Amino acid sequence: MAAASSARWLRVRRGLCLPLTGRRAGLCGRAPSSRFYSGSAAVPEVEGADATGTEEVVIPKKKTWDKVAVLQALASTVHRDATAAPYAFQDDPYLIPTSSMESHSFLLAKKSGENAAKFVINSYPKYFQKDIAEPHIPCFMPEYFEPQIEGISEAALQERIKLRKVKASVDMFDQLLQAGTTVSLETTNRLLDLLCYCGNQEPSTNYNFQQREQAEELEEATEGNNEKPKKKAGHQLGVTWRAKNNAERIFALMPEKNAHSYCTMIRGMVKHRAPTQALNLYTELLNNRLRADVHTFNSLIEATALVVNEKFEEKWNNILDLLKQMVAQNVKPNLQTFNTILKCLRRFHAFGKLPALQTLREMKAIGIEPSLATYHYIIQLFYQHESPSKGSSLIIYDIMNELMGKKFSPKDPDDDMFFQSAMRVCSSLRDLELAYQVHDLLNTGDNRKFIGPDHRRNFYYSKFFGLLCLMEQIDVTLKWYKDLIPSVFFPHSQTLIDLLQALDVANRLELIPQIWKDSKEYGHTFRRDLKEEILMLMARDRHPPELQVAFADCAADIKSTYESQDARQTAPSWLASSLHYIAVLFLRAGRTQEAWKMLGLFRKHNKIPRNELLNEFMGSAKASGSPAQAIEIVKLAGAFSLPICESLTQRLMADFTLSQEQKEALGDLTALTSDSSSDSDSDVGEGK
């Protein structure tokens, strides 16, 4: 009864609040907030509505959401915390890295742990059968790598090929041939796929993890035209194509071969750096009146560029011939075709600039949208040198004008190298506005995913922040410093030196102690160049007393780093400039005793003090009325036979009242100094 009455009351309330007109609409407008469905804030107009402004509630139609729509909505409400460490390092607060080296070690250890876990799970799958994930996640379950089919049969061969057992597959194939069993063409082609992909070697357990890094190392090694780095890189990676290997033997034993057989062999030869054999096999494919697919043509283009002892013009003409053959065989090029051409043109240096622009225009003419890797190759071709020249290309500006505001999806394995190349060019051109455009493009949509691995991210932000320190106002630079460090990247010592130089230009030296404190947190305690820069900036000029006290505390902290012995790294030896700067800072802050201890370190480490420092100490001795300290300064200058010794002696006689003993000691010191100077003059005369 109560439920029925409440239902009637609800219908009455809805009936009262449906037609809302005039000022009453504002009073009852809160009633729809109790709905349990989401709708637009703007109510669509309904035909036949009252002209006086009557609104009517329209229930939207059912909408089918994506499975991760809720996660995407929640993720859009969360932004990066500039005060927190990167998300990848938040597993354990104790293990959060504080330097670039520690972050690299952390990521390697994390990946090593994942590989170790996968190895244990796949080695003992029977102990990991419980599936607690809902819905089922196949990649979380163990993989079975042991063959289940026994005996000699084509099905057993197919199973071993699927499990990527290279040696077992080859042995099974040979046993089938010895037994007189004919292996089907499809199965033989699958075996060739395995052999050509793995290079006739057993794939390692961490093959997928190492493959990308090996490709990058090989690309760097083959960047030039020198043949020795290529051989060295191939020898290190163990991926060179060996003559008369199992793939070539099985290919020769095949009674019939189709286009797939030839294409697999060609791509395998190019993958494992056998370009000449690949081109010869392509000629055999054409003689058998077969056609290659687009992926094979992409490999052939790469093989053409890898052939040694050919001029750039000859290689380019060969690439054009391959493109004409693609047209003749009705093979439509794809994005990888043009990217492969541009990637090969990077090795052509200045000759490759015009063909690269022609390739880009042809690419757009047939309706293929360039990827980030496309522009990365063009940037590398037109800006191969770090320092800009007078005739530097302006193509980077055209590229950025074309890319601004676009969102990208991954299309090429080298897409994550674009932002690194673009920021490198911005830094070399000293163009801050262009750097801001590149950074805005990085923050558009999900483009941040293309920043690349840890070392590329550090390179990008180091170049960006270095340009900010050089070109931007200091207040803006400090805002970027708080926003990027350490939540995005850990600075190198050179990054902090650039910031110190920016503070020097803006006359904001009062922030130096804080920069030194940050540098210790980021693992730069023993960076000699950084400490020298900090000490030089603090000791170069005189400052207000409060700032001098802060500088002296900072200098004392730096002094302790020289004196302490670290368990992992021995303390670096003292430099004369470091002793000079620290002593000056102690004197200006009124820490006289510590300054005199620094003067003793000159003798201990056999370092020659500067004239300015000796004058500073003489002034300190005069202020304290201590002739004994002044005599010690003269003795130190005499011990090193400094030319300033005579002027210091005259100043001592004029500014201080000396006892008879002090006069005698000073006289002996003066006589000794004059004798040594005369001896040196006579030696010079004899030498002449």
Side-chain angles (χ1 to χ4, degrees), residues 304 353 390 436 477 529 532 544 666:
T304 303
K353 293 183 178 181
K390 294 182 180 179
Y436 276 131
T477 303
D529 53 349
E532 283 289 304
L666 185 61

Side-chain angles (χ1 to χ4, degrees), residues 25 65 119 136 140 150 156 164 196 234 275 305 341 365 445 452 473 572 613 621 645 687:
W65 295 96
F119 174 78
H136 174 67
F140 284 177
E150 298 180 356
R164 294 190 300 177
C196 293
I341 295 174
Q473 298 179 1
L613 179 62
C645 182

Side-chain angles (χ1 to χ4, degrees), residues 575-577 579-580 602-603 605-611 613-614 636-637 640-642:
L575 296 177
S577 57
L579 292 170
H580 170 81
F602 280 95
R603 289 181 175 177
H605 296 281
N606 197 24
K607 303 295 182 181
I608 300 177
R610 300 180 185 178
N611 296 341
L613 179 62
L614 296 177
L636 180 64
F640 289 105
S641 301
L642 298 180

Side-chain angles (χ1 to χ4, degrees), residues 164 166-167 194-195 198-203 237-240 242:
R164 294 190 300 177
V166 175
K167 187 176 183 303
L194 176 64
L195 295 175
C198 298
N200 293 275
Q201 298 177 3
E202 291 286 349
L237 300 178
V239 293
T240 54
R242 298 180 180 178

Side-chain angles (χ1 to χ4, degrees), residues 156-427:
L157 174 60
Q158 294 175 353
E159 182 189 32
R160 283 154 178 78
I161 295 174
K162 184 177 180 182
L163 295 176
R164 294 190 300 177
K165 300 288 185 179
V166 175
K167 187 176 183 303
S169 301
V170 173
D171 293 342
M172 181 62 66
F173 179 82
D174 293 337
Q175 292 175 8
L176 287 173
L177 292 184
Q178 293 175 2
T181 304
T182 302
V183 183
S184 64
L185 178 62
E186 181 182 359
T187 303
T188 308
N189 285 338
R190 290 179 57 188
L191 178 59
L192 286 178
D193 292 340
L194 176 64
L195 295 175
C196 293
Y197 182 78
C198 298
N200 293 275
Q201 298 177 3
E202 291 286 349
S204 59
T205 55
N206 55 351
Y207 179 76
N208 295 328
F209 173 61
Q210 294 179 346
Q211 186 181 13
R212 178 66 174 173
E213 295 183 355
Q214 291 177 350
E216 293 176 358
E217 294 176 2
L218 188 60
E219 180 182 348
E220 293 175 358
T222 58
E223 190 66 30
N225 292 320
N226 193 353
E227 186 176 357
K228 293 182 180 179
K230 296 180 184 180
K231 294 182 178 179
K232 181 179 179 181
H235 177 71
Q236 288 177 348
L237 300 178
V239 293
T240 54
W241 184 270
R242 298 180 180 178
K244 298 181 180 180
N245 53 24
N246 288 324
E248 292 186 357
R249 181 176 62 84
I250 293 175
F251 182 78
L253 292 175
M254 294 177 63
E256 58 175 330
K257 308 178 184 69
N258 58 5
H260 182 91
S261 308
Y262 283 96
C263 292
T264 298
M265 291 292 295
I266 292 172
R267 294 171 64 185
M269 291 175 177
V270 177
K271 175 182 172 63
H272 301 297
R273 293 303 185 264
T276 305
Q277 295 91 319
L279 294 174
N280 294 335
L281 191 59
Y282 174 67
T283 303
E284 183 179 342
L285 178 144
L286 295 179
N287 294 335
N288 292 329
R289 298 182 179 181
L290 298 175
R291 295 183 179 182
D293 57 8
V294 64
H295 305 291
T296 305
F297 274 108
N298 297 344
S299 298
L300 289 171
I301 292 172
E302 184 179 356
T304 303
L306 291 176
V307 174
V308 296
N309 300 328
E310 281 191 6
K311 297 182 179 180
F312 295 147
E313 186 175 0
E314 295 177 358
K315 292 182 179 181
W316 174 242
N317 291 331
N318 293 334
I319 291 176
L320 293 179
D321 291 339
L322 287 174
L323 295 177
K324 294 177 182 178
Q325 294 178 25
M326 292 180 68
V327 175
Q329 299 180 26
N330 294 326
V331 178
K332 185 178 180 181
N334 56 10
L335 175 65
Q336 296 300 325
T337 304
F338 293 97
N339 281 353
T340 303
I341 295 174
L342 294 173
K343 187 176 181 179
C344 296
L345 289 175
R346 293 182 305 170
R347 303 187 179 96
F348 295 0
H349 305 290
F351 177 82
K353 293 183 178 181
L354 181 58
L357 296 178
Q358 296 173 350
T359 303
L360 184 61
R361 284 194 292 266
E362 181 67 20
M363 185 178 186
K364 296 178 180 179
I366 64 176
I368 296 179
E369 184 179 359
S371 66
L372 287 176
T374 307
Y375 297 107
H376 160 69
Y377 299 141
I378 294 177
I379 289 174
Q380 280 200 327
L381 177 60
F382 281 84
Y383 301 93
Q384 293 185 356
H385 302 287
E386 189 73 21
S387 58
S389 59
K390 294 182 180 179
S392 296
S393 175
L394 302 179
I395 194 172
I396 182 66
Y397 298 97
D398 298 333
I399 292 175
M400 292 310 303
N401 291 334
E402 185 174 348
L403 297 183
M404 283 306 298
K406 290 186 178 181
K407 301 178 182 179
F408 296 94
S409 58
K411 298 178 181 178
D412 190 278
D414 289 338
D415 282 344
D416 60 350
M417 300 178 70
F418 166 77
F419 288 102
Q420 177 188 8
S421 300
M423 190 54 67
R424 177 182 60 83
V425 174
C426 295
S427 178

Side-chain angles (χ1 to χ4, degrees), residues 504-519:
D504 182 24
V505 173
N507 197 21
R508 296 287 300 275
L509 299 182
E510 69 274 4
L511 298 176
I512 289 181
Q514 181 61 40
I515 301 301
W516 166 246
K517 181 180 178 181
D518 294 344
S519 65

Side-chain angles (χ1 to χ4, degrees), residues 422-443:
M423 190 54 67
R424 177 182 60 83
V425 174
C426 295
S427 178
S428 63
L429 295 177
R430 299 292 189 268
D431 194 330
L432 182 60
E433 189 63 29
L434 182 63
Y436 276 131
Q437 292 182 11
V438 174
H439 195 66
D440 290 341
L441 178 63
L442 177 66
N443 293 310

